[in-house]
Amino acid sequence: MNYKKIALVTIVATSFISLSSWAQREKGQEKRTEKGQQINMQEVREYFSPLPDSHIDKNKFKDLISLGERLYFEKRLSINNQMSCNTCHRIDNFGVDNEPTSPGHEGKRGERNSPSTFNSSMHIAQFWDGRAKDVEEQALGPILNPIEMGMKSEKDVVNKLKSTSDYIKAFKTAFPKQKDTLTYRNIGVAIGAYERTLVTPSRFDSFLKGNMSALNQQEKRGLKKFINKGCVACHSGPLLGGNDYQLIGAVNEYKTHDMGRYNVTKDEDDKKMFKVPSLRNVMRTAPYFHDGSVKTIDEAIRLMAHHQLDENVGPSFIEDVKAFFNTLTTNKKFRNLEK
């Protein structure tokens, strides 16, 4: 499949459709906002939908989730007993560490930015290149990564946990139908179950459910500009992203040595293809892009408009879109077991 051609066609087509459909419907099914501004909720709901309360049955899997929460904060999953999932994906900081790239057990850094674990279970796949199919698989990757948590083998990880009687009991409770419960695979299953609870609704979800006063005038204006400019070609759905792969530099080249998804598939069409990041909590998850090279949201908006849409956007556009982005920031808090 030629992803590059699809990316270009999709962006151009969506931009055209967004602009034309807005004009056609503007007198139709619109809601009045402050000071005569108007917003077309039918069009908004064509692109976006509210987040669910959770991505897992919390009652049915409460023991599994409880185990996964404990493991998420477990530093013994690292070679030096100093790192946990929470080290790079902080529960008290929107699931990120705000580092361009995260330091591992020896202080060495990888080449890619650590994305947020918040809402991550609803992504099409995990990691920037989609090499893990779900959060259960993803959770196991960093533990054995020599740069990250540095454990030598699955056996070493399991033996470390088996040295604690509490973990043996907790795994038996979480996996009641299995004979051999404390396995490396089940570590990932448990952490993934916990991560499926990290869903972060915001004011935008209230707005999508019909509360028109949830967004102020500038935020609604930013939403309209975001749609009309064609940003929804990539950033749509409940996560405003996370549901597709796109060529970075689809219209104007973006220089990077990272070949993205090509490293996984070896398909020439996948060169510089990356998973589209979710914009949930985007105002709190700097720095941006796959390499963490973009420090501010203003620069990220400007660069994306140029490289993906061939648009030069000014301060007014950026400020209004930033206002809209603020509506994607959650007030929800999760328990921090490191405190």
Side-chain angles (χ1 to χ4, degrees):
M1 183 178 291
N2 192 324
Y3 289 106
K4 296 180 181 179
K5 291 183 179 179
I6 291 175
L8 287 168
V9 172
T10 301
I11 290 168
V12 174
T14 305
S15 299
F16 175 79
I17 292 170
S18 297
L19 289 166
S20 62
S21 63
W22 185 270
Q24 292 170 1
R25 295 174 184 164
E26 198 164 25
K27 294 183 180 180
Q29 303 176 25
E30 295 173 335
K31 299 282 186 179
R32 295 234 170 233
T33 65
E34 303 115 303
K35 299 181 180 180
Q37 293 292 322
Q38 295 179 323
I39 192 113
N40 185 328
M41 288 307 295
Q42 179 180 338
E43 179 158 17
V44 169
R45 292 190 180 105
E46 286 179 4
Y47 293 115
F48 312 110
S49 58
L51 286 172
D53 294 331
S54 178
H55 202 215
I56 190 173
D57 188 328
K58 292 182 180 180
N59 291 323
K60 183 178 180 181
F61 297 104
K62 63 180 181 178
D63 293 325
L64 183 62
I65 293 167
S66 177
L67 173 60
E69 180 185 31
R70 184 178 172 185
L71 290 168
Y72 190 93
F73 292 90
E74 181 53 77
K75 292 184 178 181
R76 281 176 291 182
L77 292 178
S78 64
I79 189 70
N80 61 359
N81 299 319
Q82 296 297 313
M83 297 187 68
S84 68
C85 302
N86 192 60
T87 303
C88 302
H89 305 281
R90 296 197 60 83
I91 288 298
D92 60 357
N93 192 46
F94 299 92
V96 299
D97 58 6
N98 294 126
E99 295 276 350
T101 59
S102 300
H105 67 98
E106 293 181 332
K108 297 178 182 178
R109 294 176 182 266
E111 295 186 344
R112 290 179 182 164
N113 177 257
S114 297
S116 175
T117 47
F118 287 7
N119 309 299
S120 60
S121 65
M122 290 177 279
H123 285 220
I124 188 174
Q126 303 300 308
F127 296 112
W128 283 98
D129 54 17
R131 66 183 182 273
K133 67 179 184 299
D134 53 34
V135 288
E136 287 77 11
E137 181 180 344
Q138 183 280 326
L140 297 175
I143 298 173
L144 298 181
N145 187 303
I147 293 178
E148 298 181 53
M149 299 171 81
M151 289 297 292
K152 300 300 183 183
S153 68
E154 295 181 7
K155 183 179 179 180
D156 286 350
V157 178
V158 169
N159 286 340
K160 233 181 178 185
L161 296 186
K162 280 185 175 179
S163 67
T164 304
S165 59
D166 284 352
Y167 268 126
I168 295 174
K169 181 179 178 180
F171 272 85
K172 286 181 178 179
T173 302
F175 299 93
K177 296 182 180 181
Q178 295 183 21
K179 184 177 180 180
D180 184 16
T181 59
L182 209 170
T183 65
Y184 191 67
R185 178 183 179 278
N186 282 351
I187 292 171
V189 171
I191 295 174
Y194 169 64
E195 290 186 355
R196 289 178 183 275
T197 70
L198 303 178
V199 179
T200 62
S202 65
R203 285 191 290 123
F204 187 53
D205 297 277
S206 178
F207 178 74
L208 290 174
K209 292 176 181 179
N211 180 9
M212 294 298 293
S213 62
L215 272 62
N216 65 32
Q217 182 180 358
Q218 185 185 21
E219 291 162 350
K220 291 172 183 175
R221 189 167 64 241
L223 170 59
K224 288 176 66 173
K225 290 181 177 182
F226 185 82
I227 293 173
N228 287 350
K229 189 64 71 176
C231 306
V232 288
C234 298
H235 296 285
S236 58
L239 302 181
L240 290 84
N243 55 1
D244 194 9
Y245 301 100
Q246 291 287 347
L247 171 67
I248 188 167
V251 181
N252 294 308
E253 181 186 6
Y254 183 90
K255 293 184 179 180
T256 177
H257 70 275
D258 192 333
M259 291 294 102
R261 189 152 173 75
Y262 170 78
N263 295 331
V264 178
T265 67
K266 303 306 178 185
D267 186 332
E268 289 290 322
D269 289 332
D270 282 342
K271 284 187 174 180
K272 295 188 180 182
M273 297 286 289
F274 293 91
K275 185 180 67 174
V276 177
S278 165
L279 296 182
R280 291 282 178 173
N281 304 301
V282 69
M283 295 295 286
R284 305 300 173 87
T285 55
Y288 305 102
F289 294 13
H290 63 280
D291 54 5
S293 62
V294 179
K295 295 181 180 180
T296 69
I297 192 65
D298 299 63
E299 185 69 356
I301 293 170
R302 187 189 69 79
L303 288 173
M304 280 292 96
H306 172 69
H307 290 289
Q308 304 304 110
L309 299 171
D310 197 25
E311 293 276 357
N312 294 317
V313 296
S316 176
F317 177 90
I318 292 173
E319 289 304 311
D320 286 346
V321 170
K322 282 168 57 181
F324 165 55
F325 284 174
N326 273 321
T327 73
L328 304 175
T329 303
T330 190
N331 289 323
K332 190 173 181 179
K333 304 296 182 182
F334 300 99
R335 183 168 64 167
N336 186 353
L337 298 188
E338 284 193 357
K339 292 185 177 180

